[in-house]
């Protein structure tokens, strides 16, 4: 960015998935869509899953999702890469294979040059090509706040979906990426300091983790994005009718995240996440408010949270009979 041009992150009220509508407010709004009855729908609105799943024939389900957000980093190419990886993640979180993507763009055409938009689109294409997914067309609007993402269509076997409502008690909980990108992204928005570790994490596809989870026999999973680890875990446990225990010390962190937490780079989205789940979280001895905020940190393009042990990834807790989340 030049001296005459604002940093991308300063043009957004929130960065990445931290700009999501708070989960409680969102659930209230989408309740207007409840009650739809279609025999072909396997996964719909009921449990706030990562993507919709519709059976089109025996042995084949089509998955559909859309995800876009405001700038999470200042480099336009990296923003495009992150947004594409994040959108594709919803398909991987369902145990599916992405097939095609289309771009979604909001652009302040009188403020930012189209050279920057080309870089954003080029970044999105680079990650889609890594995933083997064509990017064909899309939709754009003139918008005072820049936004970018993708709508993605994928496929899966109807009997091999990873769902929010399929968790059973007595199984390990696996997390496939470290936490802390929300803190590091908020630090960049505030100071301009770039975390390459955060960028590397956000641009990494969840494809291999999804395949490993399916191979391990997992039936329940979600990706950890704007509602934080606690928010997405709460949604999955609530949908499945079970509880969970998290071992705080076992939760991996991105390099620099602990320091960003210490220095107070906590987003408003993270605080809203914690407010939403607080009544369902029981903090054990030694668990601090800072620990709770870290576990509620609004992630962008985070990892998969899988019910079951996935070889090569850390186990951070377990599912249990009951309800709510215990932290130890």
């Amino acid at each position: 960015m030049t001296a005459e041009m604002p940093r991308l992150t300063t043009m957004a009220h929130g960065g990445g998935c931290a700009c999501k509508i708070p989960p409680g407010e969102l659930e209230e709004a989408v309740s207007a869509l409840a009650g739809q009855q279609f025999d072909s729908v396997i996964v719909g609105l009921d449990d706030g899953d990562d993507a919709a799943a519709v059976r089109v024939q025996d042995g084949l389900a089509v998955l559909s999702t859309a995800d876009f957000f405001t700038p999470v980093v200042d480099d336009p190419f990296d923003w495009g890469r992150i947004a594409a990886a994040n959108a594709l993640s919803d398909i991987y979180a369902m145990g599916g294979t992405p097939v095609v993507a289309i771009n979604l763009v909001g652009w302040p055409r009188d403020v930012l040059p189209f050279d920057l938009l080309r870089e954003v689109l080029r970044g999105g294409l680079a990650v889609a090509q890594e995933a083997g997914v064509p990017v064909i067309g899309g939709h754009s609007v003139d918008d005072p706040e820049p936004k970018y993402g993708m709508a993605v269509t994928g496929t899966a076997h109807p009997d091999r979906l990873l769902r929010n409502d399929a968790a059973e008690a007595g199984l390990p909980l696996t997390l496939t990426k470290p936490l802390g990108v929300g803190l590091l992204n908020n630090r960049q928005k505030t100071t301009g300091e770039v975390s390459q570790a955060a960028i590397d994490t956000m641009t990494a596809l969840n494809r291999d983790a999804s395949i490993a989870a399916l191979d391990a026999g997992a039936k329940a999973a979600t990706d950890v994005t704007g509602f934080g680890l606690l928010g997405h875990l709460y949604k999955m446990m609530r949908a499945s009718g079970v509880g969970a225990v998290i071992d705080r010390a076992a939760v991996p962190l991105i390099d620099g995240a602990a320091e960003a937490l210490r220095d107070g780079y906590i987003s408003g989205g993270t605080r809203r996440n914690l407010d939403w789940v607080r009544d369902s979280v029981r903090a054990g001895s030694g668990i601090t408010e800072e620990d709770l905020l870290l576990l509620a940190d609004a992630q962008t393009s985070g990892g998969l949270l899988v019910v079951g042990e996935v070889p090569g990834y850390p186990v951070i807790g377990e599912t249990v009979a009951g309800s709510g989340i215990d932290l130890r």
Side-chain angles (χ1 to χ4, degrees):
M1 309 295 286
T2 66
E4 298 77 21
M5 198 179 304
R7 288 171 37 223
L8 283 173
T9 53
T10 66
M11 298 191 66
H13 72 284
C17 288
C19 70
K20 279 186 174 182
I21 294 174
E25 296 175 20
L26 182 61
E27 288 187 346
E28 182 178 350
V30 301
S31 65
L33 301 175
Q36 300 180 69
Q37 298 294 324
F38 292 93
D39 293 340
S40 59
V41 175
I42 305 170
V43 178
L45 285 168
D46 293 346
D47 297 312
D49 227 311
D50 298 289
V54 178
R55 189 188 306 272
V56 294
Q57 65 184 48
D58 289 344
L60 179 63
V62 170
L63 309 180
S64 181
T65 186
D67 211 313
F68 63 96
F69 47 66
T70 53
V72 66
V73 293
D74 290 318
D75 184 278
F77 182 76
D78 283 340
W79 176 29
R81 294 167 65 213
I82 293 163
N86 183 73
L88 291 164
S89 179
D90 284 341
I91 301 296
Y92 295 132
M94 295 288 292
T97 300
V99 173
V100 65
I102 58 174
N103 287 316
L104 303 172
V105 174
W107 199 254
R109 51 185 290 275
D110 294 330
V111 179
L112 295 178
F114 284 108
D115 286 348
L116 281 185
L117 177 55
R118 278 194 289 270
E119 281 298 290
V120 175
L121 297 176
R122 194 170 69 85
L125 178 61
V127 164
Q129 288 178 328
E130 180 185 348
V133 178
V135 182
I136 305 173
H139 185 67
S140 63
V141 296
D142 188 353
D143 190 331
E145 189 176 56
K147 301 176 180 70
Y148 174 66
M150 289 177 168
V152 186
T153 302
T155 59
H157 193 288
D159 299 330
R160 297 194 74 211
L161 292 172
L162 299 172
R163 304 174 53 140
N164 263 6
D165 62 357
E168 299 176 355
L171 293 174
L173 283 167
T174 300
L175 182 65
T176 68
K177 285 186 183 182
L179 296 185
V181 294
L183 291 158
L184 294 166
N185 291 340
N186 200 35
R187 184 179 70 185
Q188 178 173 168
K189 178 178 172 62
T190 304
T191 69
E193 183 178 351
V194 176
S195 167
Q196 189 59 48
I199 292 172
D200 291 345
T201 295
M202 290 185 287
T203 55
L205 293 171
N206 280 325
R207 175 181 54 195
D208 292 347
S210 177
I211 293 171
L214 288 170
D215 288 346
K219 297 180 180 178
T222 188
D223 61 346
V224 179
T225 54
F227 301 152
L229 173 65
L230 288 179
H232 288 284
L233 175 61
Y234 168 70
K235 288 178 63 179
M236 187 160 58
M237 297 301 98
R238 182 182 62 179
S240 300
V242 297
V245 177
I246 296 295
D247 182 356
R248 164 63 187 87
V251 176
L253 302 182
I254 301 173
D255 288 346
E259 290 75 17
L261 176 66
R262 178 200 63 203
D263 295 338
Y265 293 109
I266 301 161
S267 70
T270 291
R271 295 187 187 279
R272 291 189 291 271
N273 289 341
L274 182 55
D275 288 343
W276 184 55
V277 301
R278 193 182 290 273
D279 289 345
S280 298
V281 173
R282 297 176 290 269
S285 176
I287 299 295
T288 66
E289 183 72 7
E290 286 70 26
D291 290 324
L292 294 173
L293 287 165
L294 177 63
L295 296 175
D297 187 41
Q299 304 299 281
T300 297
S301 192
L304 301 185
L305 178 63
V306 182
V307 179
E309 186 168 0
V310 183
Y313 300 98
V315 170
I316 64 166
E318 61 184 335
T319 56
V320 295
S323 62
I325 301 169
D326 288 287
L327 304 178
R328 63 189 182 197

